[in-house]
């Protein structure tokens, strides 16, 4: 149960003074989530994006052009509009003149706001038009009394259509008034080290800044709040991990017979990294503690083989294993890769997805329940209620960041003392690994297996697309197969992005029925058919959206064209490029871009041309774009930090991790004085869902 002290913060935002039901709906659109309206805490933690400095109060003649100034002026003349022109008000001081310009304004309102002969303070952007100083739609027009109430530095909030800055600021002030007196959950040493004030004082400084740096994300007030958010997240991760470990595991040692058969069937030897990761996983499985490990590896580094050998060890010990993938294409790809190797070892495996025929599904469910099927590969269909295992011992979660903690735990709950191995093909910088997978041990695959080809990467202006198509014609005649990736499925009038369907139609004019199409809006069977036709060589060009980003394995594909490459994230470009270079033939990647390129887009394309090291690329992606683009932070299961920014606050995350570990070592149940305060923190940042999961686990 959430402590009653926090109840005022979890009331609906529409209950705030000055908000009400109508404005409340705008806050719901801005800050609410599906099925949940915006609450006071959401308004409180919706921090300003910038500030307007109204402290600059020069005379008219000294007001800087192109900057905000707050000026004391005397109203001298009103000039109502002629026709559709603007309403102009002439003002002056002893140094010069300033024209105030209003478009489509009510004349009675302006006359009342700016009476002739009266002195007023106006604040806004000063510009030059026809050699005269002017201020178009002043932000503020106030008298002396109003000036005293005018904030010297005004916060600027992210808004939605229909919501205005003054309303957002008033709501934030009202939310601050609702904030109860909270105990301090940080240690004195941490506060001194950061030079930090209390949680409440830091929020107040950001919502009511006295100078622009008060609300800078790198400033001390924002840093305090970012640390609190990190600490709540790290505590939740560690509580889940501690619960996993206290639940105890079951030793799954195996005799190595099945693994040996799989290894002998491989056409290559394992890399050093694969052997190292396998040794770590094998030791975890053999111990009596539950495994919770992340296996991260670059595109084509051989994670699937490591996972299969881990699953074989579990089967050797008399139990079952399951591999869950986020999409049906990826699940089927894993099944196609694993089945021949499993057959060579005599392993019985099955595929389970959301669109299996009723008879097939019934047979699969019976096989899993009886233990006849030893390894199940599938989508989230694996966690449905009717799926039961005779003795599940290992859950492998592929592309972990695309699943929520709930799905991971639900699959692990399909058996007793189930070990968990998560995998990701997106190499994760250390900072991100702490944020997204702080409850896991990490094994990394950095080496490429023997035979993997380097990929010739080139950036080409889209104006030269005819040359690219001519080059493809020659490549296809020589036996190549080509991916052509577009950012959208179909065109629209308000977007100039290439659409997959339109591009497929264009290419069919040159290549006829050699062109296939696959995208996320197609039915599953149609997607499978399009992928199969490409894999078997019936089609030579596969036009696709990013549905092929992960897992698709066609070794014969040697050319990747990415249209509007400047619109993709760096890690996503790297993942797409990794669909080629998987066979013995030389491969290339063409990045078609639309000029002019911004600095960030230019940097991305240059980095991609320079290196194929996914770990370096992920670090650069984090630096250039932030965590949301590296792992898709808005997807289910990602932390979705409201305040903290990994690109700015990485050092704070490491501090918070150490703090969380220290706190739980000293008080594992969080029942001491600081522990109770930390529980408040967990509820405040809504990390209590992890607590509920571990209690249920």
């Amino acid at each position: 149960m959430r402590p009653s002290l926090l109840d005022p913060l979890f009331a609906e935002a529409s209950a705030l003074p000055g908000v009400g039901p109508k404005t409340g709906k705008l806050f719901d659109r801005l800050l609410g989530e599906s099925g949940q309206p915006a609450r006071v805490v959401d308004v409180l933690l919706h921090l300003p994006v910038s500030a307007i400095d109204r402290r600059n109060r020069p005379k008219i003649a000294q007001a800087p052009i192109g900057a905000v100034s707050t000026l004391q002026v005397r109203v001298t003349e009103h000039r109502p509009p002629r026709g559709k022109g603007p309403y102009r008000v002439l003002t002056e001081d002893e140094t010069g003149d300033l024209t105030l310009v209003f478009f489509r304004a009510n004349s009675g309102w302006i006359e009342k706001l700016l009476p002739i002969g009266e002195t007023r303070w106006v604040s806004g952007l000063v510009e030059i038009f026809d050699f005269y100083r002017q201020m178009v739609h002043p932000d503020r027009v106030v008298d002396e009394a109003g000036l005293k109430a005018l904030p010297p530095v005004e916060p600027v909030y992210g808004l939605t259509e229909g919501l205005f800055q003054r309303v957002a600021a008033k709501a934030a002030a009202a939310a601050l008034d609702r904030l109860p007196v909270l105990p301090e959950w940080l240690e004195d040493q941490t506060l001194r080290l950061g030079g930090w004030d209390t949680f409440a004082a830091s929020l107040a400084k950001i919502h009511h800044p006295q100078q622009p740096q008060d609300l800078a994300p790198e400033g001390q007030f924002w840093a305090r709040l970012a640390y609190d958010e990190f600490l709540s997240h790290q505590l939740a991760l560690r509580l889940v991990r501690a619960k996993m470990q206290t639940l105890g595991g079951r030793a799954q040692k195996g005799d190595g017979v099945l693994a040996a058969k799989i290894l002998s069937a491989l056409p290559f030897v394992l890399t050093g990294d694969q052997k190292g990761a396998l040794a770590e996983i094998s030791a975890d499985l053999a111990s009596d503690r539950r495994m919770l490990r992340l296996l991260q590896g670059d595109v084509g580094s051989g994670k699937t083989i490591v996972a299969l050998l881990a699953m074989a060890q579990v089967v050797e010990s008399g139990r079952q294993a399951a591999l869950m993938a986020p999409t049906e294409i990826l699940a089927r790809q894993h099944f196609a890769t694993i089945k021949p190797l499993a057959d060579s070892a005599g392993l019985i495996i099955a595929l389970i997805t959301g669109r299996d025929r009723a008879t097939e599904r019934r047979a699969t469910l019976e096989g899993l329940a009886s233990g006849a099927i030893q390894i199940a590969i599938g989508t989230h269909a694996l966690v449905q209620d009717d799926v039961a295992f005779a003795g599940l011992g290992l859950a492998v979660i592929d592309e972990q960041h695309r699943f929520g903690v709930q799905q991971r735990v639900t699959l692990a709950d399909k058996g007793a003392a189930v070990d968990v191995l998560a995998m990701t093909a997106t190499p994760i910088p250390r900072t991100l690994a702490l944020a997204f997978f702080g409850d896991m041990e990490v094994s990394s695959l950095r080496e490429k297996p023997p035979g993997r080809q380097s990929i010739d990467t080139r950036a080409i202006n889209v104006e030269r697309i005819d040359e690219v198509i001519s080059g493809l014609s020659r490549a296809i005649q020589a036996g190549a197969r080509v991916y052509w990736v577009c950012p959208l499925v179909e065109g629209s009038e308000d977007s100039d992005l290439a659409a997959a369907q339109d591009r497929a139609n264009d290419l069919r004019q040159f290549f006829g029925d050699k062109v296939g199409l696959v995208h996320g809006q197609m039915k599953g069977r149609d997607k499978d058919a399009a992928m199969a036709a490409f894999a078997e060589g019936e089609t030579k060009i596969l036009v696709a959206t990013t549905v092929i980003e992960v897992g698709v394995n066609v070794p014969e594909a040697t050319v990747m064209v990415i249209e509007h490459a400047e619109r993709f994230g760096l890690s996503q470009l790297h993942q797409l490029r990794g669909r080629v270079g998987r066979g013995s033939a030389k491969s290339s990647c063409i990045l078609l871009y639309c000029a002019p390129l911004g600095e960030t887009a230019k940097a991305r394309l240059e980095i991609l041309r320079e290196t194929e090291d996914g770990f370096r690329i992920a670090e650069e992606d984090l630096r250039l774009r932030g965590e949301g683009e590296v792992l898709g932070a808005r997807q289910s299961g990602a932390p979705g930090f409201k305040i903290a920014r990994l690109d700015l606050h990485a050092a704070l995350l490491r501090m918070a991790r150490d703090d969380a570990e220290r706190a739980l070592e000293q008080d594992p149940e969080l029942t001491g004085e600081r522990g109770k305060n930390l529980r408040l923190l967990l509820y405040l940042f809504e990390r209590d869902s992890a607590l509920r999961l571990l209690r249920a686990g």
Side-chain angles (χ1 to χ4, degrees):
M1 289 288 291
R2 183 173 58 233
S4 58
L5 178 68
L6 298 179
D7 285 349
L9 298 181
F10 288 87
E12 292 187 14
S14 58
L16 288 169
V19 176
K22 186 177 179 182
T23 307
K25 288 179 181 177
L26 298 176
F27 278 106
D28 292 345
R29 189 195 307 163
L30 178 67
L31 303 173
E33 295 179 5
S34 179
Q36 176 183 282
R39 301 150 308 167
V40 174
V41 70
D42 299 318
V43 175
L44 199 62
L45 299 180
H46 182 56
L47 302 187
V49 294
S50 63
I52 299 172
D53 190 348
R54 301 202 187 278
R55 296 173 301 169
N56 184 31
R57 298 179 181 179
K59 295 296 182 182
I60 290 175
Q62 283 78 49
I65 304 304
V68 171
S69 291
T70 303
L71 308 171
Q72 187 180 37
V73 299
R74 185 174 61 260
V75 182
T76 60
E77 185 182 345
H78 280 232
R79 292 183 179 175
R82 293 178 180 176
K84 294 183 179 180
Y87 194 116
R88 290 184 168 85
V89 178
L90 275 54
T91 69
E92 65 180 17
D93 68 9
E94 63 270 27
T95 68
D97 304 322
L98 176 73
T99 303
L100 307 180
V101 182
F102 299 89
F103 291 93
R104 296 182 181 177
N106 180 290
S107 57
W109 173 76
I110 297 176
E111 289 166 5
K112 188 175 178 181
L113 186 70
L114 292 155
I116 293 175
E118 294 290 329
T119 297
R120 291 289 183 267
W121 286 88
V122 295
S123 186
L125 190 70
V126 178
E127 300 170 298
I128 293 287
F129 181 74
D130 276 351
F131 305 105
Y132 291 96
R133 280 182 170 80
Q134 70 172 22
M135 187 181 288
V136 179
H137 285 281
D139 300 329
R140 297 286 185 271
V141 178
V142 294
D143 56 15
E144 285 293 338
L147 181 69
K148 292 175 182 175
L150 188 69
V153 177
E154 190 173 333
V156 176
Y157 295 90
L159 301 173
T160 188
E161 186 179 357
L163 189 62
F164 299 103
Q165 288 296 340
R166 271 184 265 191
V167 176
K170 283 182 181 178
L176 276 170
D177 290 340
R178 289 279 188 102
L179 185 63
V181 177
L182 297 170
E184 182 55 75
W185 44 72
L186 297 189
E187 296 173 314
D188 290 342
Q189 180 183 354
T190 305
L191 291 169
R192 284 196 302 273
L193 190 64
W196 292 337
D197 212 324
T198 64
F199 175 82
S202 299
L203 268 174
K205 279 286 191 182
I206 290 176
H207 285 298
H208 299 310
Q210 298 303 302
Q211 47 193 355
Q213 53 265 44
D214 286 350
L215 49 67
E218 59 274 17
Q220 66 183 64
F221 304 116
W222 199 298
R224 159 74 211 236
L225 303 179
Y227 186 84
D228 290 329
E229 188 172 26
F230 279 148
L231 181 58
S232 70
H233 178 63
Q234 292 295 305
L235 277 168
L237 285 175
R238 269 146 191 77
L239 285 167
V240 171
R241 184 175 183 173
K243 186 66 175 180
M244 286 283 290
Q245 292 176 342
T246 55
L247 286 173
R250 186 184 297 179
Q252 305 186 100
K253 293 182 180 177
D255 56 16
V257 173
L258 294 175
K261 289 180 180 178
I262 292 169
L263 286 169
S264 65
L266 289 175
F268 52 81
V269 296
L270 298 184
T271 65
D273 280 356
Q274 284 176 311
K275 291 175 183 175
L278 193 58
E280 291 170 342
I281 294 164
S282 183
D284 284 351
L285 293 172
S287 78
D288 58 3
R289 296 174 66 188
R290 288 179 77 169
M291 176 174 74
L292 194 52
R293 182 173 288 276
L294 173 70
L295 177 64
Q296 65 165 337
D298 205 347
V299 186
S301 57
K303 297 178 298 299
T304 308
I305 299 304
V306 173
L308 174 58
L309 290 166
M311 292 191 284
Q313 179 174 330
V314 169
V315 174
E316 288 167 1
S317 69
R319 302 180 78 193
Q320 295 163 295
L323 189 160
M324 184 166 69
T327 66
E328 190 168 324
I329 283 182
L330 192 45
R332 291 183 181 278
Q333 186 71 58
H334 279 310
F335 185 76
T337 302
I338 288 172
K339 181 113 181 28
L341 294 168
D343 289 347
S344 69
L347 283 166
I348 308 301
I349 76 167
L351 176 69
I352 183 164
T353 71
R355 61 182 183 87
D356 297 332
R357 291 191 179 92
T359 51
E360 291 174 356
R361 184 176 176 82
R362 196 177 307 116
T364 301
L365 294 180
E366 288 172 1
L368 291 173
S370 69
I373 294 173
Q374 296 159 311
I375 295 175
I377 295 171
T379 59
H380 59 275
L382 285 168
V383 302
Q384 291 175 353
D385 292 341
D386 62 345
V387 178
F389 292 82
L392 184 65
L394 173 64
V396 181
I397 318 289
D398 195 24
E399 292 304 313
Q400 156 70 35
H401 62 277
R402 299 193 180 202
F403 292 107
V405 175
Q406 178 76 57
Q407 288 167 307
R408 184 215 299 175
V409 172
T410 303
L411 182 56
D413 281 349
K414 294 280 185 181
V418 175
D419 288 318
V420 176
L421 176 66
M423 301 195 298
T424 176
T426 305
I428 305 163
R430 176 168 166 71
T431 301
L432 280 182
L434 283 174
F436 286 76
F437 308 109
D439 56 337
M440 298 184 178
E441 302 292 342
V442 179
S443 297
S444 298
L445 304 180
R446 289 176 175 266
E447 295 177 79
K448 283 191 176 182
R452 287 288 299 204
Q453 299 292 308
S454 61
I455 301 166
D456 179 23
T457 303
R458 300 181 185 186
I460 297 176
N461 193 312
V462 73
E463 292 177 358
R464 296 171 56 196
I465 195 168
D466 291 344
E467 296 174 37
V468 172
I469 291 173
S470 297
L472 292 187
S473 182
R474 293 190 296 272
I476 289 169
Q477 286 174 5
R481 266 175 252 173
V482 179
Y483 290 109
W484 188 301
V485 176
C486 302
L488 288 180
V489 175
E490 56 188 15
S492 62
E493 291 180 7
D494 59 352
S495 174
D496 62 346
L497 291 181
Q501 289 177 333
D502 292 346
R503 182 57 67 211
N505 292 335
D506 291 343
L507 291 173
R508 282 176 183 139
Q509 294 179 23
F510 296 92
F511 302 102
D513 58 7
K514 291 179 182 177
V515 179
L517 173 67
V518 64
H519 56 74
Q521 295 178 21
M522 291 168 65
K523 292 180 179 178
R525 285 191 174 84
D526 294 338
K527 276 192 278 193
D528 290 345
M531 291 301 304
F534 183 64
E536 291 162 15
E538 293 174 19
T539 54
K540 302 296 184 182
I541 300 177
L542 184 64
V543 179
T545 57
T546 55
V547 70
I548 64 156
E549 180 184 343
V550 291
V552 176
N553 184 25
V554 180
E556 296 80 6
T558 55
V559 181
M560 168 64 71
V561 179
I562 304 173
E563 195 164 352
H564 279 292
E566 76 279 2
R567 308 286 182 104
F568 291 90
L570 187 48
S571 288
Q572 193 175 38
L573 288 170
H574 178 61
Q575 291 292 324
L576 289 167
R577 177 172 63 178
R579 299 305 105 213
V580 298
R582 305 175 81 86
S584 56
K586 186 173 174 56
S587 293
S588 58
C589 176
I590 297 167
L591 306 171
L592 281 178
Y593 66 86
C594 188
L597 287 176
E599 288 304 312
T600 300
K602 191 182 297 181
R604 280 203 300 272
L605 300 189
E606 285 176 359
I607 291 160
L608 210 66
R609 288 172 58 201
E610 285 174 17
T611 182
E612 291 181 51
D613 181 349
F615 287 86
R616 184 192 158 197
I617 284 169
E619 293 280 2
E620 291 292 334
D621 208 10
L622 175 60
R623 183 179 65 80
L624 288 171
R625 287 163 69 98
E627 79 279 4
E629 302 299 339
V630 178
L631 284 179
R634 299 298 165 253
Q635 296 188 49
S636 170
F641 296 120
K642 293 180 179 179
I643 294 170
R645 287 176 46 179
L646 292 175
D647 52 336
L648 290 178
H649 303 128
L652 297 180
L653 176 57
R654 288 186 281 273
M655 279 175 58
R657 177 201 59 185
D658 295 342
D659 193 353
E661 286 182 352
R662 191 166 58 249
L664 291 173
E665 280 173 11
Q666 295 168 357
D667 183 8
E669 300 297 322
L670 296 180
T671 53
E673 185 180 351
R674 189 189 180 207
K676 291 175 182 175
N677 297 345
L678 287 170
R679 283 175 176 262
L680 275 176
L681 174 68
L682 288 167
Y683 280 104
L684 183 63
F685 280 100
E686 298 181 273
R687 302 298 183 188
D688 50 302
S689 58
L691 296 173
R692 289 197 298 273
L693 278 174
L694 67 88
R695 288 193 199 107

